[in-house]
Amino acid sequence: MTSLIAPRVTEIAPGVAVRRALPTRALRTVGAWCFLDHFGPVQGEGMRRFSIGPHPHIGLQTATWLIAGELLHRDSIGSVQRIRAGELNLMTAGKGIAHSELLGPDAQQLHGLQFWIALPDARRHDAPSFEHHATLPRWREGDVEFCLFVGALAGRASPATVHTPLLGLDVHATASATLRLPLDPSFEHALYLVSGTVQIEGTSVPPEHLWSLPAGPETLHVEVTQDARFVLLGGRPFDQPLLTWWNFVARDPAEIEAARDDWEHGRQFGVVADGGEPIKAPPLDLKLRAPSR
Ligand code: MN
């Protein structure tokens, strides 16, 4: 059954609110896509609060996708990379990496999405790695611009390295249009509407909402209005249980506790040169429970 999901507003740091569309109680994952934060648009001094100092990750890939502005990525394997709108920043944490995400020197505004992609068991203990893709498949159909940042669609393929079958497509309409998008019927999908309005199979999706679609259909009809922008995510249903706490994606509480302990004691994650003051892990105040599936 399809569903329409409102993101919850949550703080990534004191006073820094984002819309979190994944995970929610209604929907935990779309394929291996396991996290979606929408931040901004923000201008002026408010942008500074989105500079996030060094913090650790395990078990996931972070995919940063800016709509406007600029961030500066630094990580503990030595990567230093400016991130601009329309470029894919893809960090694979594997067994552990730390990074900082600071406001870029030329940013006039900041607006973007950050996704996490859960790594499968076979890859989640790999060494960390980093990719940046400024060149991605981009095309235009009438008044609609497409950019394929992850996966394959209609004979095109993103160069981004992912470890389970996934799709990530950015769509921006400069005028009203009716789109007919081919789907992989083995994928579940979700459409996150960043701005504007869309109608999908007769359902109106309000801005900043996620519309999800189980596996099965081979096409998706979307009516977009002028200046609508959305991302379409897809993936083969992820069949491994996930336990997510703070910046860690794991399988059981012991792994989370060990990763937190390593970070607090300066082990395993390395150092982010010039990244600023490392962020302390929150207390493990919740009793972590193993996931139910
Ligand atoms: Mn991060």
Side-chain angles (χ1 to χ4, degrees):
M1 208 176 79
T2 64
S3 59
L4 185 61
I5 297 161
R8 60 202 161 97
V9 176
T10 188
E11 291 192 341
I12 53 170
V16 187
V18 300
R19 278 85 79 207
R20 184 157 298 162
L22 280 178
T24 62
R25 198 166 292 176
L27 186 66
R28 313 300 297 175
T29 50
V30 179
W33 299 101
C34 63
F35 179 96
L36 168 51
D37 268 3
H38 178 197
F39 52 92
V42 58
Q43 300 182 342
E45 271 308 297
M47 293 190 299
R48 305 250 155 244
R49 296 201 291 269
F50 286 86
S51 274
I52 309 297
H55 58 277
H57 288 286
I58 63 168
L60 56 86
Q61 295 176 288
T62 61
T64 304
W65 184 250
L66 293 184
I67 294 153
E70 184 182 316
L71 288 170
L72 181 61
H73 165 97
R74 288 192 173 94
D75 65 37
S76 56
I77 55 172
S79 318
V80 180
Q81 179 65 55
R82 290 167 79 156
I83 311 170
R84 299 183 184 87
E87 303 179 353
L88 180 70
N89 184 273
L90 184 67
M91 183 181 78
T92 303
K95 64 185 178 182
I97 194 169
H99 71 155
S100 62
E101 301 157 281
L102 306 181
L103 189 67
D106 297 334
Q108 302 294 314
Q109 56 176 320
L110 190 63
H111 187 198
L113 304 170
Q114 186 171 85
F115 309 95
W116 294 356
I117 300 166
L119 289 169
D121 277 333
R123 306 311 296 265
R124 69 192 186 96
H125 301 296
D126 286 0
S129 60
F130 175 77
E131 295 176 9
H132 186 80
H133 297 286
T135 303
L136 292 163
R138 289 176 216 279
W139 68 100
R140 201 178 168 88
E141 291 173 14
D143 296 311
V144 184
E145 299 161 355
F146 297 84
C147 180
L148 183 64
F149 53 92
V150 168
L153 185 76
R156 298 176 172 94
S158 163
T161 304
V162 292
H163 301 285
T164 53
L166 285 181
L167 173 74
L169 177 71
D170 179 276
V171 180
H172 181 215
T174 55
S176 298
T178 299
L179 311 178
R180 186 178 167 280
L181 300 169
L183 301 180
D184 181 329
S186 73
F187 281 17
E188 53 193 5
H189 290 85
L191 182 154
Y192 182 73
L193 184 61
V194 174
S195 56
T197 57
V198 301
Q199 284 243 343
I200 311 170
E201 325 273 352
T203 300
S204 287
V205 179
E208 301 178 353
H209 280 64
L210 189 75
W211 182 87
S212 78
L213 177 70
E218 294 185 354
T219 55
L220 183 66
H221 295 267
V222 184
E223 288 174 48
V224 295
T225 54
Q226 185 177 356
D227 286 330
R229 180 185 286 273
F230 66 83
V231 289
L232 179 66
L233 304 179
R236 194 87 35 90
F238 196 78
D239 58 3
Q240 295 159 23
L242 298 179
L243 183 62
T244 300
W245 180 83
W246 193 40
N247 296 307
F248 303 138
V249 172
R251 299 294 185 270
D252 61 58
E255 281 183 83
I256 299 278
E257 287 170 35
R260 183 187 182 282
D261 201 50
D262 285 339
W263 176 247
E264 289 302 286
H265 291 91
R267 298 187 300 251
Q268 300 295 339
F269 291 100
V271 171
V272 183
D274 302 320
E277 185 66 24
I279 296 173
K280 286 185 71 66
L284 259 181
D285 53 351
L286 298 172
K287 192 161 169 55
L288 288 172
R289 283 178 307 173
S292 54
R293 80 172 173 101

